[in-house]
Amino acid sequence: MRAFRIAYDGRPFYGFQRQPSVPTVENALFDALDRLGAFDAAADRKPPGYAAAGRTDAGVSAFGQTVGFDCPEWCTPRALNAELPADVRAWAAADAPESFHATHDAVRREYVYDRYAPDADPALARRAADALSGEHDFHNLTGDDVGTVRELSVTVEPDGEFLVVHVAAGGFPYELVRRLVSLVHGVAVGERSPDAVEDVLGPEPLTGPDGVPAAPPEPLLLERVVYPDLTFERDPQAAESAAEIFESRRRDGLVRARVTGRIRAGVGGDEG
């Protein structure tokens, strides 16, 4: 049994979990393993012993996603990358006991969300984050009906025009992080009263305009998944390749931002 750290740009994918007719990260991983001969996709539903740390939504990215499965010794991060698309990169691995389960054995998951909020008040954002930290019933911040009581750590720091929201817990119900970010942002820009957090954490269900919508998925990143008994070793070649690919994506984003900025300036009348 081996565990692998997987990084991916979630924007081209319809989430992590395998689906029959749309591209997902798990589809890409299983196809790569099939082409490598690590398992037979025609005969088996998934690789033996397979499990993943979490099922990120469509558009959500990761560099701490973790998967575990039985595989040959030659199945290294660089071997996986030979068959994975460029948007999905394995970059570290660890030997794991046969009983290892990537979902159940994770003790902590950490997400980070970069919320564009040039008019936000950092003090109000921190006040909301402090109120959301600790153990609460988050039934108003998820579509799930069970497993809504969680103990969270929520921190917020300003970074230029952004609020950087870090959220950590043992696990998360559906859309909790994105709705939490939406709530913190609403308080920080004055769209919601700081007392709204108390109402959201209260026992009464909130619907309509009182409900909290999910923030967009693209700025969300699964940053870290903690397994106390595993020691991951970075594959230098695989990690360097991944860093080069995502640096290229970063530069492309900067160039595109300049182009769209010029378009905005032109149509806005900043240029004759």
Side-chain angles (χ1 to χ4, degrees), residues 11-31:
R11 292 174 299 171
F13 298 102
Y14 288 79
F16 180 83
Q17 188 177 14
R18 180 171 58 171
Q19 298 185 46
S21 58
V22 294
T24 71
V25 178
E26 205 168 58
N27 283 346
L29 178 61
F30 287 2
D31 289 346

Side-chain angles (χ1 to χ4, degrees), residues 5-9 62-63 77-78 81 85-92 234-252:
R5 297 291 201 194
I6 307 292
Y8 50 87
D9 179 349
F63 75 82
R78 71 185 72 177
N81 288 346
D87 291 310
V88 183
R89 297 282 93 183
W91 58 274
R234 186 184 301 264
D235 182 320
Q237 180 177 321
E240 181 179 358
S241 169
E244 290 174 354
I245 288 171
F246 290 112
E247 170 60 18
S248 176
R249 297 289 192 276
R250 188 188 73 85
R251 290 197 303 265
D252 289 346

Side-chain angles (χ1 to χ4, degrees), residues 134-165:
E135 183 175 293
H136 304 284
D137 188 337
F138 294 96
H139 65 102
N140 279 317
L141 293 176
T142 177
D144 290 351
D145 295 324
V146 297
T148 59
V149 176
R150 303 283 173 152
E151 183 173 355
L152 267 58
S153 169
V154 186
T155 61
V156 183
E157 292 298 332
D159 183 7
E161 295 185 306
F162 288 83
L163 288 176
V164 182
V165 184

